[in-house]
Amino acid sequence: MSLSTRTVRLLIRIAISVIVAIVFVLHITDRPGFEIIERVENYLYDARVRATLPGGVDERIVIIDIDEASQVQLGQWPWERQTLASIVDVLFDTYQIRALGFDVLFAEAGRSGGNDAFAEAFIARDVITGFVFKDSLAANEPEFTGTLPPPIIPAQDVAGFSVPFVRAEGFTGTLAALQENAAGGGLFDSPLIDSDGVFRRTPLVQQYRGDLYPTLALAVVHAAGGAPPLGFEFASDSRRGIDLEAFRIGDARIPVDARAAVFIPFRGPQESFRFIPARDIVNQTVPLELLQGKIALVGASAAGLLDLRSTPVGQRYIGVEVHANLVAGLLDGTIRQQPAWSDGLEISVLLLIGAMLALLLPRLSPQAALLLVAGILATAMAGNLWLWNSHSLVIPLASVFGYTLACGLLHITYGFFVEQKNKRHLSQVFGQYIPPRVVEELDASGAEVSLQGETRRMSVMFSDVRGFTTISEGLEARELTQMMNEFLTPFTRVIQQHRGTIDKYMGDCVMAFWGAPLADEQHARNSLLAAFGMIDAVRLLDAPFAAKGWPAVRVGVGIATGDMNVGNMGSEFRIAYTVMGDTVNLGSRLEGLTKQYGVDILVCENTARDVPDFHFRELDLVRVKGKQKPVAIFEPLGIASELDESTLRSLADYEKALSLYRRQEWQQAGQLFENLAEQQDALLYNVYLDRIKRFRHEPPGADWDGVFDHLSK
């Protein structure tokens, strides 16, 4: 069974949404990932970070800065170990800091000794050294140098996990003498830099030979907090890697991803933390309140030391301040998380958007379609920002944005170049017959339309100007043409407003039909409403016509409902979309009879039956020229519920008189018709009075069926 045009279009729309969705689902599930989408995602992530920075300076964390000015006083870096020992002593003894972390690697002995003094400065103090893991080893490269601190979580405590931790192949550690006296050590390498070179995430821990070692920020926070117990939190207590949800520091819960990594919670642009030159510590010129009870990090801002990172909030961001941001986030619990279910949410949103675009875009104009796409993007952004701000969730946006734009563009392109082509074809074929609104509906419905001949139940209308010959003889040709144009324009407008198809203009006659090319279940009612509208439109022309010296125009309208042939008909020289058949001929005959009964509108029995909410007056049972079977003809009086009591009483008297007439009770019928004629001067009553007068002298016979034969058109 062949599919309808509408079904085919819908399937194509669905196919567009599904095919584009597959591309983005493959990216979401990394099978494979697409670099361009990843770049857009990184850009959107950075934009959200910059748009929601809390700002301000965090006074809890200070940075002891190895800057140019300090190097002028204390010498080029690396400084003498005795100098460093003095800085540590001053920070703890004089300024009473809470903890100290070194974003500096002490892998070698000092140039002129002093290592013992420096190591002694670590004793009984929360000093965290820094070290670097290697993710790979070159040929002949030693696996390690220096010493590692004790692991933050030993191998036996993670032996049952299947978490895909970032794993190291080697390390560059701290001198053994220093590390042995330190409270711990932390990593400051960046193994998770994104493909665009931007530092957005860092693992809280890395694994080496089964043991887990902390990042510098985690080690500092752990030491500053009194070394509370550490652990992992898994969904459903399944202890499977895919279910890793959080890292525990005592009672604090830090959300992490599947690799135990976190997003750096940047507070603001560079210098969101107080930088204190190291020379000011040596000179002890810093006010006590700036350091007392604070966490201090030692790092370098001097350009020559090259400790700069590319971050979402700055292309040349000082490395030690990245650690400061993470320390603050760990203390405050402001770490954002990309939940494990974000992939499922992304895919669900894509499918929802795809369905919306496939179902809604075909119904919209290109401008409205663009507004819909823009609305979807705005809604997606608003929802994403709500999750970002209210729940600290990082839900990817690039796939939703990219899918909406790509899918929307393809749908709009398909609609414009394919469906609009079909609409233009429909307009070319039917535009001269039917109103543009119906052309729109015809296209939107996807209904099969054919110009080939077919039989349908429809309604046809004929209207004609009464006394047109007399009117035309009294006007010049130019005036007659102008008058007909002004007359036919409102006629045509009314027909089209009621979904009619203009068949043709035949001089002063208009032919129209309802029910094709677009099927119309209300074709009889719409044709009748159009007829009343045409009568009203003609009466509204009286004043402007009189002002121009033109005669008033009156029309008769005939409507017939029934089966008729419709399609393109004609010859190889000329063809037209029209209707033919007995019903069409009847409609023409009914229009001709309106003037003989003195009514504006005549309809056949089928039309009257198909419009039950209207009240009709049966005028006669007639045999029109060209037909042997008699037909009942009716005058529509209006919507039944709107008729007044006077009209209903007259109608009841008329129906009684007509019944007496058909029973050949001439005396009583004539009396009733005379009473009606006295109440209203109507041609119809005089028609029956004339017949009764004739039948009294020439009775029609006992077998008379009440039919009146009209021998003329």
Side-chain angles (χ1 to χ4, degrees), residues 132-138 141-144 166-172 206-209:
V132 177
F133 268 148
K134 303 175 184 178
D135 57 6
S136 62
L137 299 174
E141 180 183 3
E143 180 180 341
F144 61 86
V166 176
R167 289 178 171 82
E169 299 296 327
F171 66 87
T172 300
Q206 294 186 48
Q207 192 171 45
Y208 177 68
R209 294 186 178 180

Side-chain angles (χ1 to χ4, degrees), residues 499-566:
R499 306 174 63 82
T501 298
I502 299 292
D503 186 301
K504 60 178 70 71
Y505 302 107
M506 300 172 288
D508 61 317
C509 179
V510 177
M511 176 182 173
F513 53 83
W514 280 257
L518 187 64
D520 181 4
E521 295 295 328
Q522 299 292 321
H523 56 83
R525 192 174 196 279
N526 286 330
S527 65
L528 190 56
L529 291 173
F532 277 99
M534 292 162 68
I535 299 301
D536 291 339
V538 167
R539 289 172 181 156
L540 291 175
L541 293 175
D542 287 351
F545 276 23
K548 296 178 181 180
W550 297 342
V553 174
R554 292 295 177 263
V555 297
V557 179
I559 299 174
T561 298
D563 292 339
M564 58 191 80
N565 295 324
V566 60

